[in-house]
Amino acid sequence: MAFKEIVTKAIVGKGKKYFKDNYSIETNELPTTVLGCWVINHNFKGYKSGSKIGVEGSYDVNIWYSYDNDSKTTVVNKKVTYNNLFNVKIKDDVELTSDTDIIVRSLKQPNCTGVHIEDNGNISFDIEKELGIEVIGETKVKINIEDDEEPWDLIEDDVDDTVMDEIDENVNDDFIENE
């Protein structure tokens, strides 16, 4: 058996990470009740940083709350930015180069899991998210090839030999006259 090596792009590293972070936001009024929390506009991108993979991103958090003894409401918002480095396990024989592609997926979109009003009037909130990272790089694949070439099959015409003999007999050799 013989083998050939094919150089191709493939996933050479893959991993995921779960995050749960706590943030705080100041309000203009003293909140009475938190009525809702939304996380929107999640943007992110991956990059190489030495032997590590980085992900930088941001999202907007909007918190709706009541104040003045629940007689009025307003929304406060905060842009949250993050920049995380990961040790993604890469195949032993692959190096991160300028041709290496980083694909980041949000496996779990940022979501508010807890909100409470602090004693100083600020609002504290918990955000959880999960990111998946795929590292695409050049790698080699070995395939098995056969040494022996398959024999050629004989192609037979559909016309029978007796029909060919009959056609040859009916050919007029003097059809084209020489001038």
Side-chain angles (χ1 to χ4, degrees), residues 40-59:
I40 58 173
N41 300 327
H42 186 208
N43 297 302
F44 50 87
K45 69 177 182 174
Y47 62 93
K48 295 177 291 292
S49 178
S51 63
K52 296 185 178 189
I53 304 299
V55 177
E56 64 180 2
S58 66
Y59 50 85

Side-chain angles (χ1 to χ4, degrees), residues 27 43 66 86 130-131 174:
T27 59
N43 297 302
S66 66
F86 302 94
E130 187 172 31
L131 299 175
D174 296 327

Side-chain angles (χ1 to χ4, degrees), residues 74-122:
T74 191
V75 175
V76 65
N77 54 34
K78 178 175 186 162
K79 182 177 194 94
V80 175
T81 60
Y82 60 90
N83 193 346
N84 303 107
L85 286 177
F86 302 94
N87 288 316
V88 177
K89 190 173 184 180
I90 307 291
K91 289 176 81 175
D92 294 335
D93 58 344
V94 176
E95 290 185 26
L96 298 180
T97 66
S98 60
D99 291 339
T100 305
D101 296 323
I102 309 297
I103 298 173
V104 180
R105 289 182 172 62
S106 180
L107 302 177
K108 183 175 185 172
Q109 288 290 341
N111 186 33
C112 187
T113 59
V115 181
H116 69 275
I117 301 168
E118 297 175 348
D119 292 338
N120 61 4
N122 291 344

Side-chain angles (χ1 to χ4, degrees), residues 33-38 63-67 70 72-74 115:
T33 307
V34 174
L35 304 171
C37 180
W38 297 270
I63 299 175
W64 179 35
Y65 67 94
S66 66
Y67 61 97
D70 290 332
K72 298 176 184 170
T73 66
T74 191
V115 181

